[in-house]
Amino acid sequence: MPTQGMTAADFPVLPRHVGIIMDGNGRWAKKHKLAIAFGHRTGTETLREIIRHTDDLGIGSLSLYAFSTENWRRSDDEVAALMQLILDFFASEIDELDEKHVRITILGDKDRLPQRQRDTLIEAERRTGANTGLRLNIAINYGGRAELVRAARSLAEDARAGNLDPDAIDEDALAARLYTAGQPDVDLLIRTSGEMRLSNFLLWQCAYAEFIFPEKLWPDFTVADYDAALQEFARRSRRFGGR
Ligand code: IPE
Ligand code: IPE
Ligand code: MG
């Protein structure tokens, strides 16, 4: 079934890179008197639609915040439910994503994840690594500060080994060591559920992002809501410090 929604020609300009903080699953579950895990599961339905529509519109990069370095603080049950959803999501989606030439990149430290999740994510990256379509970045065990520390450490190691002159370290050199290396900065950052904060997501990449905060909870967020955010983005005047 084709995704409902607008087409690329309906927008005077589209972002090259969209970031989404998929927030509100817990409140959605509570509102419907359902288990939290069901809120997260329903959220993956939204996720599927939004990925499809992003691909249909020809947007180059989509970064989704699925699990932060701080989300380990949740109950064991909730963390287990989220870990299971990671396996289920890739099992059900990887064939279609690969067929559509989507290239998957995991943002975050996979080493701290359980073995099965780690293997699944590594395999998804390997299988889609040469694809040239949508760049789909999924942030799992991701923190923006941790990403910057990792990049700084990598620069320092190369400097110590004598392969890098510290004077040659510039913004491009640092950006090249982020998980998003080679991709444009985030143009549009959407966070659902009315919360207005970054929660440690893509700190570097969002330096000049436009922010849009729809009130809807993530499981209720639709392709039409996404199109509305993209239209709002097209109306924004971006100056990057100039006139
Ligand atoms: C976002 O939904 C999904 C994850 C953090 C994994 P929440 O679970 O944070 O939803 P709220 O904020 O409690 O409503
Ligand atoms: C951010 O949402 C992480 C994800 C959406 C995966 P949280 O719900 O965890 O963020 P805080 O705790 O409200 O800042
Ligand atoms: Mg939340």
Side-chain angles (χ1 to χ4, degrees):
M1 208 178 73
T3 309
Q4 302 287 307
M6 300 174 83
T7 64
D10 295 319
F11 298 95
V13 62
L14 278 167
R16 292 197 299 161
H17 187 167
V18 176
I20 305 184
I21 302 176
M22 310 182 286
D23 200 10
N25 295 346
R27 276 161 285 167
W28 185 91
K30 205 166 173 191
K31 194 172 110 188
H32 294 276
K33 299 193 165 43
L34 295 164
I36 297 242
F38 199 76
H40 292 309
R41 188 161 290 280
T42 308
T44 61
E45 305 292 327
T46 305
L47 175 64
R48 220 169 263 142
E49 296 295 313
I50 296 303
I51 294 171
R52 268 197 206 127
H53 194 48
T54 306
D55 187 44
D56 290 346
L57 289 172
I59 290 169
S61 290
L62 175 65
S63 293
L64 301 163
Y65 208 1
F67 192 91
S68 75
T69 47
E70 289 73 35
N71 286 146
W72 296 107
R73 293 179 190 158
R74 299 189 179 194
S75 74
D76 292 351
D77 278 359
E78 185 173 355
V79 170
L82 287 164
M83 290 298 138
Q84 184 59 44
L85 274 182
I86 291 172
L87 298 181
D88 296 348
F89 175 80
F90 282 94
S92 73
E93 301 305 306
I94 189 70
D95 287 344
E96 182 183 333
L97 293 171
D98 191 27
E99 262 163 40
K100 289 181 163 175
H101 313 292
V102 173
R103 177 173 167 190
I104 295 165
T105 300
I106 304 303
L107 317 180
D109 182 5
K110 293 188 282 288
D111 290 342
R112 262 201 66 199
L113 296 172
Q115 178 93 42
R116 281 196 302 161
Q117 280 71 12
R118 193 164 60 233
D119 291 349
T120 298
L121 299 178
I122 290 169
E123 171 56 17
E125 285 185 315
R126 187 206 59 76
R127 178 169 164 186
T128 65
N131 287 350
T132 54
L134 170 69
R135 298 282 314 246
L136 176 62
N137 308 311
I138 307 185
I140 297 175
N141 190 25
Y142 173 87
R145 287 184 171 183
E147 180 183 34
L148 288 165
V149 168
R150 178 176 172 271
R153 188 176 296 139
S154 155
L155 291 168
E157 278 166 3
D158 279 6
R160 183 173 58 189
N163 299 324
L164 176 68
D165 175 359
D167 288 336
I169 298 175
D170 57 9
E171 294 187 7
D172 288 344
L174 195 139
R177 286 154 203 262
L178 300 175
Y179 294 115
T180 51
Q183 300 186 58
D185 283 344
V186 173
D187 293 309
L188 169 62
L189 189 278
I190 297 171
R191 182 174 188 150
T192 55
S193 85
E195 305 290 0
M196 298 184 194
R197 55 177 171 271
L198 268 179
S199 300
N200 206 10
F201 190 49
L202 300 178
L203 299 178
W204 173 281
Q205 298 87 339
C206 284
Y208 261 103
E210 296 294 328
F211 289 77
I212 294 183
F213 299 107
E215 287 294 329
K216 282 221 188 145
L217 305 173
W218 179 250
D220 291 330
F221 192 70
T222 64
V223 163
D225 297 323
Y226 188 31
D227 281 336
L230 292 167
Q231 282 177 309
E232 163 71 19
F233 171 81
R235 286 192 295 270
R236 297 267 178 101
S237 152
R238 303 181 80 197
R239 289 183 289 279
F240 300 97
R243 288 252 170 248

